[in-house]
Amino acid sequence: MSIETRLNMVNDSVLDLIGNTPMVDVSVLSPKPSVRLVAKLENQNPFGSVKDRIAKAMIEAAEKDGRLQPGQRILEPSSGNTGIALAAIAQIKGYPITILMPTSVSVERRQMLQIFGADIVLTPGEEGSNGAVRRAQEMAEKHPEWCFLYQYGNDANPRAHYETTGPEVLRDCPEITHFVAGLGTSGTLMGAGRYLREHKPDVKIIAIEPPLGERVEGLRNLEDGYIPPVFENWNGFELLDRKRVVRPRESIEWTRRLVAQTGIFAGLSSGASLAGAIKVANEIDEGTIVFIICDGGWKYLSTGAYTDDLDVAEAAAEKIIYF
Ligand SMILES: Cc1ncc(COP(=O)(O)O)c(C=O)c1O
């Protein structure tokens, strides 16, 4: 890169660095030479995950429509990335913020929230993320003066992906035939998926889910009793071509292979998406499968997911909430 180009790259704010993440060919992991695998590196966002996009979008939308006034408290249930990104942006912009998270999340995530100045309310680990959502809803009713952003129902979440993630994927990889991503709030799949469907109708949209009752970081099974309003509002059942179920063990295995063979150090939901992409690759003759690296591996180091014996790591994954 020339010095001149670099001079043009001074940004006004770290918020301007959100999005426009790089894509990289990881076909070395593909089971067939005729199927290309491409990763979109959302871990390269400034606060570390794909959720930087929606945190910025939800806060800016609430500022615009007057629901968020200067100094007003923000409230959100999040066991990880959304909370971290919201807390970072709230701190820069001067909003106090309360994040509800289950006790069972990794210590690094709690530390990140502390660094970014959030007030943390711990909810019972056995209730999982659904419990944190429920308790946040109760808290929002008690505190109507707070701004409850609610990523599961906030239209700015899928819209951020419709306006940025989807267009970036098609711009950088126009030969895409399959889009694979994990399903949490469903924002990534609904937003980027709809954009791809509208602009390249043949692209297949594939959601990765854990089996019912098993945990894979950041992901939910739609049959577990809660369908995010974002999924319903964006006609998720029509948009998705299919779902692929990925078990915690496969997620850990593919997360480890990813770092070993490509150098990409990712969180476990990225390994789940990669495992799903490999299943798709095994079923097709040729194509280009794009999958999302949601976040980096740093926040999960203490869980032993990368270093423990696979059986031990698998057993731990059942207890730890990774997102
Ligand atoms: C690590 C991780 N992976 C995947 C997801 C799923 O993304 P989405 O909420 O857009 O469906 C999330 C968030 O829910 C996440 O934090």
Side-chain angles (χ1 to χ4, degrees), residues 26-71:
V26 294
S27 300
V28 64
L29 296 162
S30 175
K32 296 175 190 164
S34 53
V35 178
R36 195 169 163 225
L37 288 177
V38 177
K40 184 155 176 69
L41 302 187
E42 290 299 304
N43 58 319
Q44 296 215 5
N45 281 302
F47 311 119
S49 85
V50 65
K51 296 296 185 174
D52 287 19
R53 295 178 190 264
I54 73 155
K56 182 179 168 202
M58 291 194 302
I59 287 179
E60 286 179 353
E63 286 174 334
K64 210 164 155 202
D65 69 19
R67 275 193 310 126
L68 183 57
Q69 299 288 334

Side-chain angles (χ1 to χ4, degrees), residues 17 43 68 110 117 125 152 155 164 169 173 189 285 293 308 313 316:
L17 305 180
N43 58 319
L68 183 57
R110 225 182 282 177
Y152 294 90
D155 205 57
T164 66
V169 167
C173 187
L189 279 159
D285 294 328
I293 302 290
D308 281 354

Side-chain angles (χ1 to χ4, degrees), residues 49-51 54 78-82 109 151-152 157-158 161 181-191 208 216-220 228 230 267-270 273 292-296 299-300 322-323:
S49 85
V50 65
K51 296 296 185 174
I54 73 155
S78 166
S79 34
N81 289 324
T82 303
R109 271 172 291 178
Q151 58 172 335
Y152 294 90
N157 167 4
H161 292 292
L183 191 145
T185 65
S186 79
T188 310
L189 279 159
M190 295 301 105
I208 303 303
V216 177
E217 141 199 13
L219 311 186
R220 67 171 56 249
V230 161
L268 295 210
S269 79
S270 311
S273 292
I292 301 285
I293 302 290
C294 301
D295 63 358
K299 295 192 300 289
Y300 312 102
Y322 283 99
F323 88 120

Side-chain angles (χ1 to χ4, degrees), residues 40-323:
K40 184 155 176 69
L41 302 187
E42 290 299 304
N43 58 319
Q44 296 215 5
N45 281 302
F47 311 119
S49 85
V50 65
K51 296 296 185 174
D52 287 19
R53 295 178 190 264
I54 73 155
K56 182 179 168 202
M58 291 194 302
I59 287 179
E60 286 179 353
E63 286 174 334
K64 210 164 155 202
D65 69 19
R67 275 193 310 126
L68 183 57
Q69 299 288 334
Q72 195 177 349
R73 180 169 291 274
I74 295 171
L75 171 70
E76 186 69 11
S78 166
S79 34
N81 289 324
T82 303
I84 290 166
L86 281 175
I89 299 172
Q91 180 158 258
I92 296 171
K93 287 175 166 268
Y95 301 108
I97 183 165
T98 299
I99 300 289
L100 285 89
M101 68 193 317
T103 48
S104 41
V105 303
S106 72
V107 64
E108 291 93 331
R109 271 172 291 178
R110 225 182 282 177
Q111 289 171 327
M112 292 301 293
L113 287 173
Q114 282 162 352
I115 288 166
F116 289 127
D119 294 314
I120 305 169
V121 175
L122 292 174
T123 63
E126 62 278 9
E127 291 181 13
S129 349
N130 286 357
V133 172
R134 221 171 23 246
R135 283 166 191 263
Q137 283 166 328
E138 288 163 14
M139 209 178 232
E141 270 168 39
K142 266 195 229 136
H143 292 279
E145 73 282 12
W146 293 358
C147 179
F148 184 33
L149 291 171
Y150 191 41
Q151 58 172 335
Y152 294 90
N154 192 321
D155 205 57
N157 167 4
R159 229 178 321 118
H161 292 292
Y162 181 84
E163 288 169 4
T164 66
T165 319
E168 288 169 28
V169 167
L170 201 55
R171 178 195 66 197
D172 296 341
C173 187
E175 57 281 20
I176 179 173
T177 57
H178 295 74
F179 180 71
V180 178
L183 191 145
T185 65
S186 79
T188 310
L189 279 159
M190 295 301 105
R194 181 186 287 188
Y195 180 87
L196 292 168
R197 175 59 47 79
E198 284 174 3
H199 293 82
K200 197 175 177 196
D202 289 343
V203 173
K204 299 275 181 275
I205 313 294
I206 296 141
I208 303 303
E209 285 185 342
L212 197 57
E214 293 185 32
R215 282 200 184 132
V216 177
E217 141 199 13
L219 311 186
R220 67 171 56 249
N221 186 301
L222 285 175
E223 275 109 57
D224 82 349
Y226 178 77
I227 296 188
V230 161
F231 186 85
E232 294 201 312
N233 296 340
W234 283 56
N235 287 329
F237 287 111
E238 275 165 51
L239 182 65
L240 295 185
D241 288 285
R242 61 182 307 183
K243 298 188 284 180
R244 295 300 326 221
V245 171
V246 170
R247 308 198 66 153
R249 191 182 184 92
E250 295 172 283
S251 308
I252 299 168
E253 279 175 332
W254 283 101
T255 307
R256 290 181 179 189
R257 278 202 210 180
L258 184 66
V259 68
Q261 287 181 257
T262 73
I264 299 171
F265 178 45
L268 295 210
S269 79
S270 311
S273 292
L274 171 57
I278 298 291
K279 287 176 197 232
V280 173
N282 278 318
E283 291 157 5
I284 61 177
D285 294 328
E286 55 177 16
T288 297
I289 304 171
V290 173
F291 69 99
I292 301 285
I293 302 290
C294 301
D295 63 358
W298 307 103
K299 295 192 300 289
Y300 312 102
L301 281 174
S302 70
T303 68
Y306 307 89
T307 41
D308 281 354
D309 173 76
L310 193 55
D311 291 331
V312 176
E314 184 189 7
E318 297 291 330
K319 294 194 206 83
I320 297 161
I321 295 176
Y322 283 99
F323 88 120

